[in-house]
Amino acid sequence: MCGIVGYIGKKQAAPIVLDGLSKLEYRGYDSAGIAVFDGKEIVTKKAAGRLAVLENLTHNGENMPGFSGIGHTRWATHGAPSDLNAHPHSNGAGTIVVVHNGIIENYMALKNKLVKKGYEFSSETDTEVLAHLLDYYYDGNPLQTITKVLHRVEGSYALGILFADHPDELYAARKNSPLIVGCSEDGCFIASDVPAILKYTRNVYYLDNQEIARLTADDVKFYTVDEEEIEKQLVTVDWDANAAEKAGYEFFMLKEIYEEPKTVTDTISPRIRNGEIVIEELGLTDEELKAINRIHIVACGSAYHVGVTAKYVIEGMLRIPVEVDLASEFRYRDPILSPEDLVIVVSQSGETADTLEAVRESKARGIKVLAIVNVVGSSIAREADSVFYTWAGPEISVATTKAYSAQLVAFYLLTMKLGRVRGVIDDRRFAKLLEDLQALPDQIELMLGQKEKIQHFANRYVAARSVFFIGRGIDYAIGLEGSLKLKEISYIHSEAYAAGELKHGTISLIEPGTLVVAVATQPELFAKTVSNIKEVKSRGAFVMAIAERGRKEIEKEADYVLYIPFTDPFFANSLAIIPLQLFAYYVSVGKGYDVDHPRNLAKSVTVE
Ligand code: M6R
C-alpha cells in the first residue's frame, strides 16, 4: 500500500528520503509528501500525483535543507488523492509531524473528541487524528506521548514521527503494517520495505507489532508500548542491490519476467540434495507429513491462482484432498478445520492483510500453518509456524510474475516431498519428475525466446474490448492468472473460464473477432478443449492456443498457436504462463500505459 521512508544522519535528508520513496512507489502512488527539520522548524511539502511532482517541487529534495526527514507515498483510503490528504500530517502548530501506513479504525470517535476539545482538522484522513492526538498528550517526552497514543488507537499502523523540539530524534512504531529500521555509518533509516534503503545499508531490524524505535544519527533504541527498552536482532539482508533497479529494461515487469529462469533455479536448487528433496524449513517430521489428512491453501490474487494449480497437482499426484480459499473469504466463513489438516498460505509480500489474518485464524484453532513467502522477515513469515521462502528477490512491478513462478515450483517441491515420504511416488516416477523439474529454467528460457512473436500478436489486440481465457484442469488455473495479468495492467475486460463451463451462459458474449486464449497443455484433456475451441470458433472468435509441442492438430482449429516444450503435465503451468505474462505486458506497452504502476492498484494490500 503506502510507502514510508525516514532518515536521520550526517547527510541531507530530503534527497535520501525521496530516493527511497522512488523505490517504494510500487506500493501506492496517488500522492506523496515529505517533512524535514531544517534547523529551525519542520518544513512540509506535499503534492497529489506521482512522486515526480514532489521531486520537481523540491528539486529532488535539494531545496529542503536538514538532516532528518520523513516521507510518504500514498494510496488513498480515507479521502481522495489531494495535496491536503497527502501525508505528512501535523498538529496545528506544525511541531509534530506524522507519516502513516495502515488504517486507524476508531479515528471517527477520536476525531469527534478532539474536535470537541477545539482541534481543527484540515484533511479527511484517519492519519491526521494521530498528529492531533500526539499534540494533545504531548508533555515534552516523545516516547511517553507515543505510547499513550498507541494505547488509544485501534487498527493498523506503521508510523514515522518528527518532533520539532527533539530535532536529533526520529520515532517509528508499527502494528500490522510493515516497517524496518536500518543503520549505516551515515545515519539511520526507517522504511516500509528493504529496497528503499538497500542502497545505503543491508543492516536492518524488523520492527514487531507494537514496538517503537527511537532513531538518532548514530544509534537506534527499541521500546515496547509500555516504554520498556528491548534488544532486537540485527539482520543482514543479502538481496542484490541491482535487483531493485531496472537494469536497462523499460519496466520492472519485463525485467522480472526475464528473471524467471533464475528465480525458479534459486527456489529449486537449494532443496535438491543427492537426488532427494530436502526442505529443512518445513518444520514437520516425516510422521507429521504422513498424517496430513487435508490441505487448505489460502491466498489472494495471483497467489490464490497458484493455489488453484496446486490443488490439481497435489490431488492428482498424492490423492490428498485440497481446499483452496481466497483469504478474504476464508477468515469469515468459519472454515471447517481439523487437527490433521495443514494450512498453507501463499504470499509474495508476506504482508497481505487477509492472508495474515488467515494465519492467525488457523493458528488460533490449533492448526499448523506453513507459509510460502517471498519477503524475508515479513509479517506472515514471522507469524506462520514454518516458512518456505521463494527466493525470487525483490519484486517491484505491481503485477507479479517471477514470484508467481517461484510459488508454483515451491508447490511442486512440496508435493514431491510429500509423495516421497508417503510412499505414493515410486523411484522411477520421482527420478523423472526431478528431471522435468530441473529442466524448467532452461525451458522457461526457451519460452522467453518467443518474445517477438508474442509482441507482434499483442500489438494486434491493444484495442480489444474483451478477452476470454479457457482451459481445463491446470489449464484453467493458467487462464485465471493470464486473465488477471491482462486485466490489471491493460485494463481490458477479461474472464477466465473452465472450458467446459463457457457454454453455460458466457458463450453468449463471444462475437465475431473476440479473442479467446485457449490453453490446452494437458494431454488427457486436449481433445475436450479442442471441442471447446470449435464451439467458440463457430461463433466467430479468434483463437490463440497454447499447446504441448507436437500437437500440430490444434492448428486446424486455432488461428494462432504457441507451443510449450515437453514437461510433466503437472508442471505445464510454469511454461504456459510465460507467453501470457508477455502478452499482457506488450498489450499494456502498446496502449502506452505505465506497466509497473497500474491504476488503482498497490503491490501489497495491507488493508482488508
Ligand atoms: O503479496 P501477495 O502475494 O500476498 O499479494 C497477493 C495479491 O495481492 C497479488 O498477487 C495481486 O493479485 C497481484 N497484483 C497480481 O499480479
Side-chain angles (χ1 to χ4, degrees), residues 18-26 51 195-196 199 244-245 396:
L18 289 176
D19 176 62
L21 288 179
S22 73
K23 304 288 187 307
L24 295 182
E25 245 195 318
Y26 66 93
L51 186 63
K199 200 160 129 187
E245 305 292 338
I396 307 295

Side-chain angles (χ1 to χ4, degrees), residues 390-432:
T390 49
W391 298 118
E395 189 180 64
I396 307 295
S397 179
V398 166
T400 182
T401 51
K402 63 174 180 173
Y404 170 88
S405 284
Q407 290 161 356
L408 282 175
V409 296
F411 270 110
Y412 304 158
L413 284 163
L414 268 175
T415 310
M416 288 167 65
K417 171 77 188 168
L418 275 167
R420 209 57 180 150
V421 171
R422 294 164 74 106
V424 292
I425 299 179
D426 65 29
D427 287 355
R428 232 173 104 194
R429 172 99 174 101
F430 184 79
K432 181 71 176 89

Side-chain angles (χ1 to χ4, degrees), residues 426-478:
D426 65 29
D427 287 355
R428 232 173 104 194
R429 172 99 174 101
F430 184 79
K432 181 71 176 89
L433 283 169
L434 205 55
E435 191 186 315
D436 286 354
L437 184 69
Q438 289 176 296
L440 285 176
D442 286 345
Q443 293 180 324
I444 293 173
E445 204 80 66
L446 285 176
M447 297 306 295
L448 291 171
Q450 304 191 41
K451 181 191 102 165
E452 259 131 48
K453 263 172 98 176
I454 296 159
Q455 181 173 9
H456 183 72
F457 183 77
N459 285 339
R460 289 169 56 181
Y461 278 91
V462 288
R465 284 180 32 239
S466 200
V467 176
F468 291 82
F469 289 74
I470 59 170
R472 288 167 178 260
I474 285 175
D475 291 333
Y476 165 55
I478 299 168

Side-chain angles (χ1 to χ4, degrees), residues 202-216:
R202 291 172 176 281
N203 297 325
V204 303
Y205 299 92
Y206 290 93
L207 269 193
D208 280 310
N209 274 345
Q210 296 195 285
E211 288 180 351
I212 302 164
R214 174 184 170 274
L215 289 74
T216 58

Side-chain angles (χ1 to χ4, degrees), residues 224-432:
T224 67
V225 78
D226 297 315
E227 289 177 67
E228 285 160 17
E229 190 173 340
I230 44 170
E231 291 293 318
K232 287 199 66 80
Q233 201 192 342
L234 189 67
V235 178
T236 303
V237 176
D238 58 5
W239 280 3
D240 174 2
N242 294 326
E245 305 292 338
K246 277 193 205 149
Y249 286 89
E250 194 182 355
F251 290 103
F252 276 108
M253 182 174 173
L254 189 62
K255 175 177 178 256
E256 287 161 4
I257 292 173
Y258 269 82
E259 285 170 355
E260 289 186 59
K262 179 175 180 314
T263 296
V264 168
T265 305
D266 289 350
T267 302
I268 293 175
S269 300
R271 277 115 183 178
I272 298 177
R273 285 188 220 150
N274 304 324
E276 284 298 335
I277 290 172
V278 182
I279 314 177
E280 277 159 0
E281 61 271 44
L282 261 190
L284 295 166
T285 62
D286 284 1
E287 288 319 305
E288 285 173 316
L289 292 177
K290 279 183 199 156
I292 293 170
N293 216 7
R294 182 197 305 265
I295 293 173
H296 302 261
I297 301 173
V298 188
C300 302
S302 297
Y304 168 79
H305 297 157
V306 169
V308 178
T309 301
K311 175 179 167 72
Y312 288 108
V313 175
I314 297 170
E315 290 189 342
M317 275 201 215
L318 310 179
R319 312 307 300 154
I320 299 176
V322 177
E323 284 186 24
V324 193
D325 268 276
L326 291 162
S328 52
E329 291 294 312
F330 179 84
R331 53 185 295 202
Y332 294 118
R333 77 170 172 87
D334 193 10
I336 300 168
L337 303 171
S338 47
E340 302 78 31
D341 292 359
L342 174 68
V343 169
I344 305 180
V345 296
V346 191
S347 176
Q348 186 287 128
S349 62
E351 300 294 348
T352 302
D354 287 315
T355 312
L356 182 57
E357 283 307 322
V359 174
R360 292 174 179 162
E361 174 73 24
S362 308
K363 284 183 70 179
R365 293 174 181 222
I367 309 298
K368 281 226 167 186
V369 179
L370 167 67
I372 297 178
V373 170
N374 193 41
V375 177
V376 176
S378 55
S379 303
I380 292 174
R382 283 180 293 150
E383 293 199 24
D385 293 299
S386 46
V387 189
F388 184 122
Y389 280 115
T390 49
W391 298 118
E395 189 180 64
I396 307 295
S397 179
V398 166
T400 182
T401 51
K402 63 174 180 173
Y404 170 88
S405 284
Q407 290 161 356
L408 282 175
V409 296
F411 270 110
Y412 304 158
L413 284 163
L414 268 175
T415 310
M416 288 167 65
K417 171 77 188 168
L418 275 167
R420 209 57 180 150
V421 171
R422 294 164 74 106
V424 292
I425 299 179
D426 65 29
D427 287 355
R428 232 173 104 194
R429 172 99 174 101
F430 184 79
K432 181 71 176 89

Side-chain angles (χ1 to χ4, degrees), residues 66-122:
F67 300 98
S68 59
I70 50 178
H72 189 268
T73 48
R74 178 171 186 253
W75 186 83
T77 56
H78 293 62
S82 68
D83 288 5
L84 276 181
N85 288 333
H87 299 210
H89 291 284
S90 62
N91 62 342
T95 51
I96 302 175
V97 179
V98 185
V99 287
H100 165 225
N101 287 352
I103 292 180
I104 304 303
E105 285 164 5
N106 60 338
Y107 89 101
M108 258 336 255
L110 293 170
K111 184 171 177 173
N112 290 339
K113 281 186 192 160
L114 287 162
V115 167
K116 279 192 194 140
K117 291 184 190 304
Y119 281 89
E120 285 179 18
F121 283 73
S122 54

